[in-house]
PDB file of all heavy atoms in Angstrom:
ATOM      1  N   ASP A   1     -13.490   2.156  -3.541  1.00 85.00           N
ATOM      2  CA  ASP A   1     -14.187   0.891  -3.697  1.00 85.00           C
ATOM      3  C   ASP A   1     -13.875   0.167  -4.953  1.00 85.00           C
ATOM      4  O   ASP A   1     -14.031  -1.077  -4.999  1.00 85.00           O
ATOM      5  CB  ASP A   1     -15.728   1.189  -3.682  1.00 85.00           C
ATOM      6  CG  ASP A   1     -16.215   1.643  -2.315  1.00 85.00           C
ATOM      7  OD1 ASP A   1     -15.471   1.410  -1.357  1.00 85.00           O
ATOM      8  OD2 ASP A   1     -17.328   2.235  -2.262  1.00 85.00           O
ATOM      9  N   HIS A   2     -13.427   0.921  -5.988  1.00 87.00           N
ATOM     10  CA  HIS A   2     -13.282   0.249  -7.303  1.00 87.00           C
ATOM     11  C   HIS A   2     -11.951   0.320  -7.927  1.00 87.00           C
ATOM     12  O   HIS A   2     -11.695  -0.439  -8.933  1.00 87.00           O
ATOM     13  CB  HIS A   2     -14.303   0.929  -8.303  1.00 87.00           C
ATOM     14  CG  HIS A   2     -15.712   0.723  -7.826  1.00 87.00           C
ATOM     15  ND1 HIS A   2     -16.454  -0.420  -7.975  1.00 87.00           N
ATOM     16  CD2 HIS A   2     -16.678   1.605  -7.228  1.00 87.00           C
ATOM     17  CE1 HIS A   2     -17.685  -0.324  -7.418  1.00 87.00           C
ATOM     18  NE2 HIS A   2     -17.790   0.904  -7.039  1.00 87.00           N
ATOM     19  N   LEU A   3     -11.061   1.230  -7.500  1.00 89.00           N
ATOM     20  CA  LEU A   3      -9.856   1.559  -8.302  1.00 89.00           C
ATOM     21  C   LEU A   3      -8.633   1.214  -7.474  1.00 89.00           C
ATOM     22  O   LEU A   3      -8.558   1.376  -6.301  1.00 89.00           O
ATOM     23  CB  LEU A   3      -9.788   2.997  -8.768  1.00 89.00           C
ATOM     24  CG  LEU A   3     -11.050   3.473  -9.450  1.00 89.00           C
ATOM     25  CD1 LEU A   3     -10.805   5.023  -9.866  1.00 89.00           C
ATOM     26  CD2 LEU A   3     -11.414   2.721 -10.668  1.00 89.00           C
ATOM     27  N   GLY A   4      -7.556   0.785  -8.230  1.00 87.00           N
ATOM     28  CA  GLY A   4      -6.293   0.543  -7.600  1.00 87.00           C
ATOM     29  C   GLY A   4      -5.216   1.346  -8.264  1.00 87.00           C
ATOM     30  O   GLY A   4      -5.417   1.636  -9.447  1.00 87.00           O
ATOM     31  N   PHE A   5      -4.148   1.678  -7.631  1.00 87.00           N
ATOM     32  CA  PHE A   5      -3.146   2.578  -8.173  1.00 87.00           C
ATOM     33  C   PHE A   5      -1.788   1.985  -7.897  1.00 87.00           C
ATOM     34  O   PHE A   5      -1.499   1.601  -6.831  1.00 87.00           O
ATOM     35  CB  PHE A   5      -3.210   3.962  -7.641  1.00 87.00           C
ATOM     36  CG  PHE A   5      -4.519   4.688  -7.982  1.00 87.00           C
ATOM     37  CD1 PHE A   5      -5.595   4.589  -7.199  1.00 87.00           C
ATOM     38  CD2 PHE A   5      -4.578   5.423  -9.140  1.00 87.00           C
ATOM     39  CE1 PHE A   5      -6.842   5.240  -7.536  1.00 87.00           C
ATOM     40  CE2 PHE A   5      -5.766   6.070  -9.500  1.00 87.00           C
ATOM     41  CZ  PHE A   5      -6.882   5.957  -8.679  1.00 87.00           C
ATOM     42  N   ILE A   6      -0.851   2.094  -8.916  1.00 84.00           N
ATOM     43  CA  ILE A   6       0.581   1.709  -8.753  1.00 84.00           C
ATOM     44  C   ILE A   6       1.341   2.825  -9.471  1.00 84.00           C
ATOM     45  O   ILE A   6       1.114   3.193 -10.606  1.00 84.00           O
ATOM     46  CB  ILE A   6       0.900   0.411  -9.503  1.00 84.00           C
ATOM     47  CG1 ILE A   6       0.055  -0.768  -8.846  1.00 84.00           C
ATOM     48  CG2 ILE A   6       2.367   0.085  -9.351  1.00 84.00           C
ATOM     49  CD1 ILE A   6       0.078  -2.066  -9.649  1.00 84.00           C
ATOM     50  N   PHE A   7       2.176   3.408  -8.674  1.00 80.00           N
ATOM     51  CA  PHE A   7       2.971   4.603  -9.141  1.00 80.00           C
ATOM     52  C   PHE A   7       4.472   4.283  -9.289  1.00 80.00           C
ATOM     53  O   PHE A   7       4.946   3.242  -8.816  1.00 80.00           O
ATOM     54  CB  PHE A   7       2.781   5.768  -8.146  1.00 80.00           C
ATOM     55  CG  PHE A   7       1.415   6.222  -7.996  1.00 80.00           C
ATOM     56  CD1 PHE A   7       0.649   5.927  -6.893  1.00 80.00           C
ATOM     57  CD2 PHE A   7       0.738   7.038  -9.012  1.00 80.00           C
ATOM     58  CE1 PHE A   7      -0.701   6.252  -6.828  1.00 80.00           C
ATOM     59  CE2 PHE A   7      -0.498   7.480  -8.798  1.00 80.00           C
ATOM     60  CZ  PHE A   7      -1.331   7.036  -7.776  1.00 80.00           C
ATOM     61  N   GLN A   8       5.177   5.166  -9.918  1.00 74.00           N
ATOM     62  CA  GLN A   8       6.642   4.940 -10.054  1.00 74.00           C
ATOM     63  C   GLN A   8       7.313   4.926  -8.681  1.00 74.00           C
ATOM     64  O   GLN A   8       8.179   4.121  -8.483  1.00 74.00           O
ATOM     65  CB  GLN A   8       7.237   6.135 -10.914  1.00 74.00           C
ATOM     66  CG  GLN A   8       8.726   5.920 -11.188  1.00 74.00           C
ATOM     67  CD  GLN A   8       9.247   6.968 -12.138  1.00 74.00           C
ATOM     68  OE1 GLN A   8       8.532   7.564 -12.880  1.00 74.00           O
ATOM     69  NE2 GLN A   8      10.507   7.241 -12.078  1.00 74.00           N
ATOM     70  N   GLN A   9       6.856   5.804  -7.814  1.00 77.00           N
ATOM     71  CA  GLN A   9       7.365   5.777  -6.477  1.00 77.00           C
ATOM     72  C   GLN A   9       6.553   4.774  -5.676  1.00 77.00           C
ATOM     73  O   GLN A   9       5.283   4.694  -5.772  1.00 77.00           O
ATOM     74  CB  GLN A   9       7.200   7.091  -5.792  1.00 77.00           C
ATOM     75  CG  GLN A   9       7.930   8.194  -6.541  1.00 77.00           C
ATOM     76  CD  GLN A   9       9.454   7.915  -6.646  1.00 77.00           C
ATOM     77  OE1 GLN A   9      10.076   7.469  -5.671  1.00 77.00           O
ATOM     78  NE2 GLN A   9      10.055   8.225  -7.837  1.00 77.00           N
ATOM     79  N   TYR A  10       7.181   3.992  -4.789  1.00 78.00           N
ATOM     80  CA  TYR A  10       6.514   2.865  -4.172  1.00 78.00           C
ATOM     81  C   TYR A  10       5.583   3.235  -3.100  1.00 78.00           C
ATOM     82  O   TYR A  10       4.626   2.586  -2.850  1.00 78.00           O
ATOM     83  CB  TYR A  10       7.553   1.885  -3.643  1.00 78.00           C
ATOM     84  CG  TYR A  10       8.804   1.718  -4.503  1.00 78.00           C
ATOM     85  CD1 TYR A  10      10.104   1.923  -3.944  1.00 78.00           C
ATOM     86  CD2 TYR A  10       8.652   1.348  -5.810  1.00 78.00           C
ATOM     87  CE1 TYR A  10      11.181   1.718  -4.843  1.00 78.00           C
ATOM     88  CE2 TYR A  10       9.720   1.155  -6.684  1.00 78.00           C
ATOM     89  CZ  TYR A  10      10.955   1.330  -6.143  1.00 78.00           C
ATOM     90  OH  TYR A  10      12.129   1.291  -6.949  1.00 78.00           O
ATOM     91  N   ASN A  11       5.827   4.387  -2.391  1.00 83.00           N
ATOM     92  CA  ASN A  11       4.883   4.985  -1.357  1.00 83.00           C
ATOM     93  C   ASN A  11       4.600   3.925  -0.321  1.00 83.00           C
ATOM     94  O   ASN A  11       3.358   3.823   0.186  1.00 83.00           O
ATOM     95  CB  ASN A  11       3.562   5.409  -2.092  1.00 83.00           C
ATOM     96  CG  ASN A  11       3.811   6.533  -3.053  1.00 83.00           C
ATOM     97  OD1 ASN A  11       4.520   7.436  -2.804  1.00 83.00           O
ATOM     98  ND2 ASN A  11       3.122   6.522  -4.148  1.00 83.00           N
ATOM     99  N   LEU A  12       5.511   3.155   0.108  1.00 89.00           N
ATOM    100  CA  LEU A  12       5.376   2.249   1.228  1.00 89.00           C
ATOM    101  C   LEU A  12       5.644   2.887   2.572  1.00 89.00           C
ATOM    102  O   LEU A  12       6.424   3.914   2.573  1.00 89.00           O
ATOM    103  CB  LEU A  12       6.382   1.055   1.077  1.00 89.00           C
ATOM    104  CG  LEU A  12       6.253   0.201  -0.228  1.00 89.00           C
ATOM    105  CD1 LEU A  12       7.231  -0.890  -0.244  1.00 89.00           C
ATOM    106  CD2 LEU A  12       4.869  -0.337  -0.406  1.00 89.00           C
ATOM    107  N   LEU A  13       5.027   2.477   3.614  1.00 91.00           N
ATOM    108  CA  LEU A  13       5.261   3.008   4.937  1.00 91.00           C
ATOM    109  C   LEU A  13       6.436   2.272   5.510  1.00 91.00           C
ATOM    110  O   LEU A  13       6.365   1.093   5.737  1.00 91.00           O
ATOM    111  CB  LEU A  13       4.007   2.867   5.790  1.00 91.00           C
ATOM    112  CG  LEU A  13       2.771   3.647   5.310  1.00 91.00           C
ATOM    113  CD1 LEU A  13       1.570   3.377   6.218  1.00 91.00           C
ATOM    114  CD2 LEU A  13       3.105   5.136   5.175  1.00 91.00           C
ATOM    115  N   GLN A  14       7.464   3.066   5.856  1.00 92.00           N
ATOM    116  CA  GLN A  14       8.689   2.453   6.252  1.00 92.00           C
ATOM    117  C   GLN A  14       8.725   1.766   7.555  1.00 92.00           C
ATOM    118  O   GLN A  14       9.598   0.889   7.818  1.00 92.00           O
ATOM    119  CB  GLN A  14       9.816   3.504   6.254  1.00 92.00           C
ATOM    120  CG  GLN A  14      10.039   4.174   4.845  1.00 92.00           C
ATOM    121  CD  GLN A  14      10.542   3.148   3.868  1.00 92.00           C
ATOM    122  OE1 GLN A  14      11.472   2.434   4.074  1.00 92.00           O
ATOM    123  NE2 GLN A  14       9.867   3.149   2.675  1.00 92.00           N
ATOM    124  N   ASN A  15       7.764   2.125   8.384  1.00 94.00           N
ATOM    125  CA  ASN A  15       7.758   1.567   9.771  1.00 94.00           C
ATOM    126  C   ASN A  15       6.711   0.332   9.787  1.00 94.00           C
ATOM    127  O   ASN A  15       6.523  -0.205  10.921  1.00 94.00           O
ATOM    128  CB  ASN A  15       7.259   2.524  10.769  1.00 94.00           C
ATOM    129  CG  ASN A  15       5.880   3.109  10.491  1.00 94.00           C
ATOM    130  OD1 ASN A  15       5.395   3.131   9.349  1.00 94.00           O
ATOM    131  ND2 ASN A  15       5.154   3.527  11.536  1.00 94.00           N
ATOM    132  N   LEU A  16       6.252  -0.118   8.604  1.00 94.00           N
ATOM    133  CA  LEU A  16       5.383  -1.300   8.567  1.00 94.00           C
ATOM    134  C   LEU A  16       6.099  -2.353   7.765  1.00 94.00           C
ATOM    135  O   LEU A  16       6.860  -2.148   6.844  1.00 94.00           O
ATOM    136  CB  LEU A  16       4.023  -0.905   7.871  1.00 94.00           C
ATOM    137  CG  LEU A  16       3.168   0.076   8.610  1.00 94.00           C
ATOM    138  CD1 LEU A  16       1.850   0.258   7.858  1.00 94.00           C
ATOM    139  CD2 LEU A  16       2.943  -0.344  10.065  1.00 94.00           C
ATOM    140  N   THR A  17       5.847  -3.613   8.100  1.00 95.00           N
ATOM    141  CA  THR A  17       6.376  -4.768   7.385  1.00 95.00           C
ATOM    142  C   THR A  17       5.732  -4.865   6.054  1.00 95.00           C
ATOM    143  O   THR A  17       4.697  -4.205   5.713  1.00 95.00           O
ATOM    144  CB  THR A  17       6.124  -6.035   8.168  1.00 95.00           C
ATOM    145  OG1 THR A  17       4.707  -6.316   8.257  1.00 95.00           O
ATOM    146  CG2 THR A  17       6.744  -6.008   9.542  1.00 95.00           C
ATOM    147  N   VAL A  18       6.264  -5.790   5.233  1.00 94.00           N
ATOM    148  CA  VAL A  18       5.667  -6.156   3.919  1.00 94.00           C
ATOM    149  C   VAL A  18       4.171  -6.465   3.999  1.00 94.00           C
ATOM    150  O   VAL A  18       3.277  -5.951   3.405  1.00 94.00           O
ATOM    151  CB  VAL A  18       6.407  -7.201   3.151  1.00 94.00           C
ATOM    152  CG1 VAL A  18       5.631  -7.831   2.049  1.00 94.00           C
ATOM    153  CG2 VAL A  18       7.828  -6.794   2.768  1.00 94.00           C
ATOM    154  N   TYR A  19       3.970  -7.416   5.056  1.00 95.00           N
ATOM    155  CA  TYR A  19       2.577  -7.894   5.264  1.00 95.00           C
ATOM    156  C   TYR A  19       1.594  -6.705   5.592  1.00 95.00           C
ATOM    157  O   TYR A  19       0.525  -6.590   5.125  1.00 95.00           O
ATOM    158  CB  TYR A  19       2.496  -8.968   6.317  1.00 95.00           C
ATOM    159  CG  TYR A  19       1.227  -9.572   6.569  1.00 95.00           C
ATOM    160  CD1 TYR A  19       0.884 -10.782   5.923  1.00 95.00           C
ATOM    161  CD2 TYR A  19       0.197  -8.982   7.381  1.00 95.00           C
ATOM    162  CE1 TYR A  19      -0.362 -11.392   6.068  1.00 95.00           C
ATOM    163  CE2 TYR A  19      -1.060  -9.568   7.559  1.00 95.00           C
ATOM    164  CZ  TYR A  19      -1.294 -10.768   6.958  1.00 95.00           C
ATOM    165  OH  TYR A  19      -2.555 -11.357   7.099  1.00 95.00           O
ATOM    166  N   GLU A  20       2.116  -5.893   6.526  1.00 94.00           N
ATOM    167  CA  GLU A  20       1.337  -4.754   7.039  1.00 94.00           C
ATOM    168  C   GLU A  20       1.067  -3.737   5.894  1.00 94.00           C
ATOM    169  O   GLU A  20      -0.052  -3.137   5.929  1.00 94.00           O
ATOM    170  CB  GLU A  20       2.018  -4.179   8.280  1.00 94.00           C
ATOM    171  CG  GLU A  20       2.005  -5.014   9.480  1.00 94.00           C
ATOM    172  CD  GLU A  20       2.911  -4.554  10.581  1.00 94.00           C
ATOM    173  OE1 GLU A  20       3.837  -3.817  10.275  1.00 94.00           O
ATOM    174  OE2 GLU A  20       2.752  -5.024  11.694  1.00 94.00           O
ATOM    175  N   ASN A  21       2.050  -3.480   5.100  1.00 93.00           N
ATOM    176  CA  ASN A  21       1.808  -2.539   3.934  1.00 93.00           C
ATOM    177  C   ASN A  21       0.735  -3.079   2.992  1.00 93.00           C
ATOM    178  O   ASN A  21      -0.098  -2.274   2.560  1.00 93.00           O
ATOM    179  CB  ASN A  21       3.122  -2.314   3.196  1.00 93.00           C
ATOM    180  CG  ASN A  21       3.955  -1.090   3.700  1.00 93.00           C
ATOM    181  OD1 ASN A  21       3.667  -0.019   3.338  1.00 93.00           O
ATOM    182  ND2 ASN A  21       4.995  -1.421   4.461  1.00 93.00           N
ATOM    183  N   VAL A  22       0.781  -4.395   2.734  1.00 92.00           N
ATOM    184  CA  VAL A  22      -0.295  -4.951   1.919  1.00 92.00           C
ATOM    185  C   VAL A  22      -1.640  -4.840   2.626  1.00 92.00           C
ATOM    186  O   VAL A  22      -2.688  -4.645   2.061  1.00 92.00           O
ATOM    187  CB  VAL A  22       0.090  -6.335   1.410  1.00 92.00           C
ATOM    188  CG1 VAL A  22      -1.088  -7.005   0.666  1.00 92.00           C
ATOM    189  CG2 VAL A  22       1.322  -6.357   0.736  1.00 92.00           C
ATOM    190  N   GLN A  23      -1.668  -5.031   3.911  1.00 92.00           N
ATOM    191  CA  GLN A  23      -2.912  -5.044   4.672  1.00 92.00           C
ATOM    192  C   GLN A  23      -3.616  -3.720   4.590  1.00 92.00           C
ATOM    193  O   GLN A  23      -4.861  -3.593   4.715  1.00 92.00           O
ATOM    194  CB  GLN A  23      -2.554  -5.369   6.095  1.00 92.00           C
ATOM    195  CG  GLN A  23      -3.862  -5.654   6.959  1.00 92.00           C
ATOM    196  CD  GLN A  23      -3.462  -6.173   8.316  1.00 92.00           C
ATOM    197  OE1 GLN A  23      -2.388  -5.889   8.917  1.00 92.00           O
ATOM    198  NE2 GLN A  23      -4.369  -6.958   8.863  1.00 92.00           N
ATOM    199  N   ILE A  24      -2.804  -2.602   4.372  1.00 90.00           N
ATOM    200  CA  ILE A  24      -3.459  -1.296   4.237  1.00 90.00           C
ATOM    201  C   ILE A  24      -4.498  -1.340   3.045  1.00 90.00           C
ATOM    202  O   ILE A  24      -5.538  -0.735   3.234  1.00 90.00           O
ATOM    203  CB  ILE A  24      -2.329  -0.265   3.991  1.00 90.00           C
ATOM    204  CG1 ILE A  24      -1.521  -0.047   5.217  1.00 90.00           C
ATOM    205  CG2 ILE A  24      -2.961   1.104   3.467  1.00 90.00           C
ATOM    206  CD1 ILE A  24      -0.353   0.934   5.056  1.00 90.00           C
ATOM    207  N   GLY A  25      -4.068  -1.879   1.934  1.00 85.00           N
ATOM    208  CA  GLY A  25      -4.950  -2.029   0.899  1.00 85.00           C
ATOM    209  C   GLY A  25      -6.139  -3.014   1.191  1.00 85.00           C
ATOM    210  O   GLY A  25      -7.330  -2.664   0.802  1.00 85.00           O
ATOM    211  N   SER A  26      -5.910  -4.097   1.875  1.00 85.00           N
ATOM    212  CA  SER A  26      -6.959  -5.012   2.265  1.00 85.00           C
ATOM    213  C   SER A  26      -7.960  -4.407   3.119  1.00 85.00           C
ATOM    214  O   SER A  26      -9.166  -4.735   3.030  1.00 85.00           O
ATOM    215  CB  SER A  26      -6.305  -6.203   2.949  1.00 85.00           C
ATOM    216  OG  SER A  26      -7.231  -7.117   3.339  1.00 85.00           O
ATOM    217  N   ASP A  27      -7.520  -3.495   4.048  1.00 85.00           N
ATOM    218  CA  ASP A  27      -8.457  -2.875   5.026  1.00 85.00           C
ATOM    219  C   ASP A  27      -9.388  -1.800   4.349  1.00 85.00           C
ATOM    220  O   ASP A  27     -10.352  -1.412   4.970  1.00 85.00           O
ATOM    221  CB  ASP A  27      -7.698  -2.233   6.133  1.00 85.00           C
ATOM    222  CG  ASP A  27      -6.972  -3.208   6.957  1.00 85.00           C
ATOM    223  OD1 ASP A  27      -7.347  -4.460   6.953  1.00 85.00           O
ATOM    224  OD2 ASP A  27      -6.103  -2.839   7.717  1.00 85.00           O
ATOM    225  N   LEU A  28      -9.202  -1.542   3.067  1.00 82.00           N
ATOM    226  CA  LEU A  28      -9.999  -0.508   2.473  1.00 82.00           C
ATOM    227  C   LEU A  28     -11.310  -1.037   1.878  1.00 82.00           C
ATOM    228  O   LEU A  28     -12.198  -0.290   1.365  1.00 82.00           O
ATOM    229  CB  LEU A  28      -9.221   0.141   1.305  1.00 82.00           C
ATOM    230  CG  LEU A  28      -8.062   1.064   1.759  1.00 82.00           C
ATOM    231  CD1 LEU A  28      -7.252   1.514   0.480  1.00 82.00           C
ATOM    232  CD2 LEU A  28      -8.531   2.239   2.521  1.00 82.00           C
TER     233      LEU A  28
END
């Protein structure tokens, strides 16, 4: 609910588009 994280490794889901990867954060 309160914290965001950015790491050295990008940890993106390879089968999702840029928009869909960002949407993962939005859906939380």
Side-chain angles (χ1 to χ4, degrees):
D1 294 340
H2 300 284
L3 310 182
F5 296 89
I6 300 167
F7 299 101
Q8 182 174 340
Q9 301 302 318
Y10 319 126
N11 298 318
L12 302 180
L13 296 180
Q14 297 299 309
N15 62 333
L16 298 183
T17 65
V18 166
Y19 186 95
E20 291 166 339
N21 268 284
V22 177
Q23 190 173 28
I24 290 174
S26 179
D27 289 344
L28 292 174

